Amino acid sequence: MTTQKRVLVTGGAGYIGSHTVVELIENGYECVIVDNLCNSSYDSVARLEILTKHHIPFYKVDLCDHDGLEKVFQEHNIDSVIHFAGLKAVGESTQIPLTYYHNNILGTLVLLELMQKYHVEKFVFSSSATVYGDATRFPDMIPIPEECPLGPTNPYGQTKLGIENILRDLYNSQKDIWKVAILRYFNPIGAHPSGLIGEDPLGIPNNLLPYMAQVAVGRREKLYVFGNDYDSRDGTPIRDYIHVVDLAKGHIASLKYLDAIDQKTGICREWNLGSGTGSTVLEVYRAFCDASGIEIPYEITGRRAGDVLNLTAKPDRATKELKWKTELDVSIACKDLWKWATENPFGYQLNGISATFGTDEEEFDGRFVTIGSGSRFQATIANLGATLVDLKVDGQSVVLGYEKESQYLTPDTCYIGATIGRYANRIAHGKFALNGKDYQLTINNGVNANHGSIGSFHAKRFLGPILKNPTKDTFTAEYALIDNSEDSEFPGSLQVIVNYTLNVATKTLDIEYTAQVEVEATPINMTNHTYFNLNKLYGSDSIAGTEIKVISNKSIDVDENVIPTGKIVDREIATFDDSKPTVLGKEGPDYDYNFFVDATATPNQIDTRGNELKLVTTAYHPESNIKLEVSSTEPSYQVYTGDWLCAGFHPRQGFAVEPGRYVNAINQDKYKGSVILKPGETFGAKIQYKFS
Ligand code: NAD
């Protein structure tokens, strides 16, 4: 068995750190991120989880906080450290030098002391070409080799040189123990080609490309080019731009290099990470205009203090020793940056989205995220079960939910607001046959298995979410789950995506489910188990007075064990054709029935997303004057009046409408085709809750 090496990534929520985490995971490493989020957002980590399909432990800790950082070393068996965390703005460092020295130097000292204490001796450090200062002061030092004399010209660069010196001293004190890679970056640009992560500078960007991107998306008026009287091809300064994905790969190369060094031998060595090719400011400007299709307005102004003609790397040492070189050029970086900028014009921080912690600790993957925050229609969703925790219509909550994540984990769960999977509703006796085998699920509901039994999704922490605000009125939250057969009693390894889309103008919440399976086929049926109470505002802890109608009263007949008999029966419930609705009372009528959308159909679609969204149930409360319409693409829906509601709620405090496939379809030849997901296929379903 191979055990994966665990890398502590400081500053992993930031620009270069987040891209490096992707490459680390792709190369089989595990990551733990420590970041105080002073220049980043946790949302980059949430997106990394979806991008890499891995849970990434995250600690919001300042490196200067010795005890906070020590907890990370105690809780994880760290193999090596990549140290990105630091303040990085050259201009700002001249204004607040003490803050820079304190943060960058002290943070590194605390980190190294703990590494020494816990015998973690592999270290990759984010240094910078800034340590060379003005290399043009020497003849023959352009392109810049590692041997170029060092001479930073600002406090930021001094902190990088100071840390390099600390590392060299540390190595010299125990030459057979420390393995240190000092990576001197040139100018990182671009973004991940997925468009999910990129540079998200707070305030006015210091660097050329993020600035241009903000001009292009209309956040800034024009670009300022500082001087066109340099001795270059077009008069503007020359820099060595490197795609951030190439740069991230340089870290993997250096880590592998350190890993390959003999156990009893140490090293402390510097490598330039640059392309070796210089581009002028106007050449990069042109590449970005071409990639974006926008002629960005610009103005030439005077030279900026401290700028020099040419800072191009000589990357030969990295090519020879680390077997690394850049593969992506400036035009690809511009294209990837443009994708990131257009898909995320305001980066990670979005108005109308807020988050709180569902746990007593600041546990980021236990977050409750509110989309549409501050507006007349808003939804709060938890990572646990990708659960709809709250839904507010004009300030009034219309669903049942808890305040804390732990309350969702009671043994007598009622699946409040949860995503239900792998298999919603009952499977008779918990048995099914598939892949030439017989399966037995744990019985958890009378004589049957219900809602996925012991592997139920309501108790699983989903990855993510990716939060977006694609139009003025819409907000989306996308969660993912990797559900392996070992954790669920079901066959096959399932990848699930749950996507919530809230529209504050139309007061609709759409939920879309997709899933794919690997290895072997699995039964699947997914839905959402929200309990609605449309009259909570008036202190009602009962659904009494709610008026409902359904598309069809044709329902699947069941025996005393709630197992389908094969017959179709008409239930006493008002349909859209009836003039009067069924009024739910304090005691009855009680429903827990699976209804047909069309009793004459034989559903066999595994992906129903292409179907029209069909209205299946309406519910209205005359006191609150709130109307709910439930639509879906699915062939059936369960109506449940909450008569067994438990775990802190009273019977009939809420009702559920759960669109999905037919109850026990996996054991009925006629309906099986709609619930068996095979490798290579996609399961899909859509639900919509609309309020007026
Ligand atoms: P970034 O600001 O996006 O990332 C740095 C991260 O470190 C941020 O997420 C920030 O919140 C975190 N951080 C800062 N101080 C911390 C502390 N005391 N404790 C915990 N977290 C802390 O910057 P980046 O561009 O990703 O740069 C990463 C590293 O690379 C930095 O050390 C930077 O100096 C170096 N570098 C960057 C560039 C560049 O142009 N981006 C060039 C050369 C070197």
Side-chain angles (χ1 to χ4, degrees), residues 529 531 591-592 638-645 654-658:
H529 207 305
Y531 288 87
Y591 301 105
D592 189 8
Q638 184 87 4
V639 175
Y640 172 43
T641 40
D643 298 83
W644 296 281
L645 251 166
F655 65 92
V657 182
E658 306 150 60

Side-chain angles (χ1 to χ4, degrees), residues 591-613:
Y591 301 105
D592 189 8
Y593 298 126
N594 201 220
F595 289 91
F596 293 93
V597 172
D598 174 1
T600 61
T602 305
N604 59 4
Q605 284 175 291
I606 195 69
D607 186 353
T608 66
R609 287 173 303 157
N611 298 350
E612 143 195 37
L613 265 179

Side-chain angles (χ1 to χ4, degrees), residues 418-430:
T419 300
I420 304 297
R422 272 189 205 193
Y423 199 95
N425 219 323
R426 293 165 182 97
I427 293 183
H429 305 291

Side-chain angles (χ1 to χ4, degrees), residues 447-667:
V447 297
N448 304 314
N450 193 28
H451 292 339
S453 187
I454 57 166
S456 167
F457 289 177
H458 84 281
K460 292 189 173 166
R461 277 245 182 107
F462 281 59
L463 305 174
I466 297 173
L467 297 166
K468 287 197 176 176
N469 179 198
T471 69
K472 186 170 124 302
D473 294 324
T474 53
F475 297 89
T476 60
E478 180 177 310
Y479 293 83
L481 179 73
I482 309 296
D483 187 49
N484 291 316
S485 48
E486 313 83 78
D487 350 292
S488 77
E489 298 184 318
F490 285 94
S493 175
L494 194 71
Q495 292 191 9
V496 177
I497 301 282
V498 180
N499 197 305
Y500 286 91
T501 301
L502 180 101
N503 188 316
V504 297
T506 56
K507 290 190 186 154
T508 46
L509 179 68
D510 286 84
I511 313 174
E512 179 172 315
Y513 301 100
T514 50
Q516 287 172 329
V517 74
E518 282 172 12
V519 187
E520 49 187 354
T522 181
I524 186 163
N525 182 18
M526 291 185 64
T527 192
N528 173 268
H529 207 305
T530 292
Y531 288 87
F532 296 96
N533 181 326
L534 303 183
N535 203 28
K536 272 171 85 179
L537 180 67
Y538 296 93
S540 177
D541 60 359
S542 158
I543 54 177
T546 307
E547 303 174 356
I548 64 166
K549 283 185 180 182
V550 294
I551 187 171
S552 153
N553 67 345
K554 301 250 177 267
S555 170
I556 295 163
D557 186 33
V558 286
D559 66 15
E560 69 283 4
N561 290 323
V562 215
I563 294 166
T565 59
K567 279 194 261 162
I568 297 175
V569 292
D570 292 341
R571 306 271 178 210
E572 280 284 313
I573 189 165
T575 69
F576 297 154
D577 297 332
D578 293 319
S579 57
K580 287 207 173 115
T582 297
V583 181
L584 303 179
K586 255 194 155 58
E587 309 288 332
D590 57 328
Y591 301 105
D592 189 8
Y593 298 126
N594 201 220
F595 289 91
F596 293 93
V597 172
D598 174 1
T600 61
T602 305
N604 59 4
Q605 284 175 291
I606 195 69
D607 186 353
T608 66
R609 287 173 303 157
N611 298 350
E612 143 195 37
L613 265 179
K614 221 173 211 163
L615 181 65
V616 295
T617 305
T618 60
Y620 171 72
H621 204 292
E623 245 176 288
S624 64
N625 200 25
I626 291 179
K627 182 178 180 193
L628 161 68
E629 293 169 285
V630 179
S631 302
S632 98
T633 55
E634 292 285 278
S636 83
Y637 53 101
Q638 184 87 4
V639 175
Y640 172 43
T641 40
D643 298 83
W644 296 281
L645 251 166
C646 53
F649 294 105
H650 317 297
R652 298 181 75 83
Q653 194 169 344
F655 65 92
V657 182
E658 306 150 60
R661 316 276 151 114
Y662 296 167
V663 58
N664 195 35
I666 185 66
N667 288 313

Side-chain angles (χ1 to χ4, degrees), residues 115-116 119-123 170-180 261-267:
M115 287 179 66
Q116 193 162 41
H119 305 290
V120 180
E121 285 122 1
K122 258 179 275 163
F123 192 73
L170 183 63
Y171 163 69
N172 283 327
S173 71
Q174 287 174 301
K175 283 195 168 170
D176 53 343
I177 286 187
W178 287 94
K179 296 179 174 44
V180 178
I261 292 172
D262 195 301
Q263 272 248 302
K264 291 247 169 284
T265 320
I267 188 172

Side-chain angles (χ1 to χ4, degrees), residues 196-356:
L196 284 179
I197 54 167
E199 189 168 10
D200 183 23
L202 300 176
I204 303 171
N206 288 305
N207 297 332
L208 176 62
L209 273 147
Y211 199 102
M212 272 199 287
Q214 292 199 357
V215 176
V217 295
R219 283 174 68 183
R220 307 207 176 266
E221 196 199 337
K222 61 181 163 192
L223 170 73
Y224 295 94
V225 176
F226 301 113
N228 64 349
D229 55 353
Y230 290 91
D231 183 18
S232 71
R233 295 182 282 277
D234 55 27
T236 58
I238 299 168
R239 295 289 176 272
D240 186 336
Y241 295 95
I242 165 173
H243 195 302
V244 64
V245 171
D246 273 336
L247 182 59
K249 288 181 174 160
H251 293 76
I252 315 304
S254 63
L255 204 53
K256 287 190 172 160
Y257 183 86
L258 297 186
D259 275 337
I261 292 172
D262 195 301
Q263 272 248 302
K264 291 247 169 284
T265 320
I267 188 172
C268 179
R269 194 155 168 78
E270 306 78 15
W271 287 278
N272 282 339
L273 295 187
S275 69
T277 306
S279 306
T280 69
V281 170
L282 287 180
E283 284 165 356
V284 176
Y285 166 82
R286 176 53 32 221
F288 187 73
C289 291
D290 290 348
S292 63
I294 296 174
E295 284 301 306
I296 293 157
Y298 75 94
E299 183 186 324
I300 308 274
T301 62
R303 288 186 180 198
R304 194 167 50 175
D307 272 356
V308 296
L309 167 64
N310 187 348
L311 293 176
T312 302
K314 186 163 193 247
D316 301 12
R317 190 188 278 185
T319 310
K320 191 163 162 243
E321 297 176 359
L322 304 181
K323 313 278 179 252
W324 169 90
K325 63 179 170 53
T326 58
E327 288 167 358
L328 308 167
D329 63 17
V330 169
S331 68
I332 295 176
C334 288
K335 193 174 112 278
D336 292 338
L337 172 64
W338 184 234
K339 182 172 166 71
W340 157 252
T342 46
E343 290 179 13
N344 309 272
F346 292 92
Y348 299 113
Q349 311 275 351
L350 303 173
N351 286 335
I353 293 185
S354 61
T356 54

